Amino acid sequence: MAKKSKMVKNERRKATVARFSERRAELKRIIRSPETSEAQRTAAQTELSRQPRDASPVRVRNRDSVDGRPRGHLRKFGLSRVRVRELAHDGQLPGIRKASW
């Protein structure tokens, strides 16, 4: 089980990313566009750098949705490898069974 504070912090980051995502996408489009003037590009870059660090989606950590484990995250299930193994053995994941040969 991960620390509650880390899980809460990650949820707060997700909310910040969602709040700033539209404006970030617009600023990045302005910066990448070859039609924008140099002044517009610099203004967009400064505005992008003034946004909070947690507005970047790279800072969000993939965590187990059940207990918040940060490592061994399997994106397909949204769970950690440990939790997937436990649930698969218990028969809780439909269509998943233990491989044996």
Side-chain angles (χ1 to χ4, degrees), residues 1 11 20 22-23 27 46 57 72 84 87 98 101:
M1 183 78 179
E11 292 304 316
F20 285 94
E22 192 174 319
R23 184 62 182 152
L27 289 172
T46 56
V84 168
L87 293 177
K98 186 173 185 240
W101 57 85

Side-chain angles (χ1 to χ4, degrees), residues 9-45:
K9 190 175 193 175
N10 201 43
E11 292 304 316
R12 196 169 51 239
R13 279 185 178 153
K14 284 181 186 177
T16 306
V17 166
R19 193 169 64 239
F20 285 94
S21 65
E22 192 174 319
R23 184 62 182 152
R24 275 184 76 83
E26 183 181 332
L27 289 172
K28 286 186 172 258
R29 192 172 8 90
I30 290 170
I31 292 168
R32 276 194 304 260
S33 175
E35 290 90 31
T36 58
S37 68
E38 199 59 40
Q40 288 175 328
R41 183 172 288 121
T42 345
Q45 286 172 343

Side-chain angles (χ1 to χ4, degrees), residues 79-90:
L79 302 169
S80 68
R81 61 180 178 77
V82 176
R83 182 75 50 198
V84 168
R85 187 169 188 270
E86 286 175 3
L87 293 177
H89 280 283
D90 293 341

Side-chain angles (χ1 to χ4, degrees), residues 2-18 53-75 78-81:
K3 289 170 62 174
K4 293 282 186 194
S5 60
K6 292 289 187 180
M7 292 166 37
V8 169
K9 190 175 193 175
N10 201 43
E11 292 304 316
R12 196 169 51 239
R13 279 185 178 153
K14 284 181 186 177
T16 306
V17 166
R53 282 184 178 177
D54 287 345
S56 174
V58 172
R59 291 177 64 95
V60 175
R61 180 81 166 152
N62 288 330
R63 290 183 172 269
D64 187 330
S65 58
V66 176
D67 65 356
R69 188 175 202 277
R71 301 200 178 199
H73 181 266
L74 301 176
R75 192 175 295 226
L79 302 169
S80 68
R81 61 180 178 77

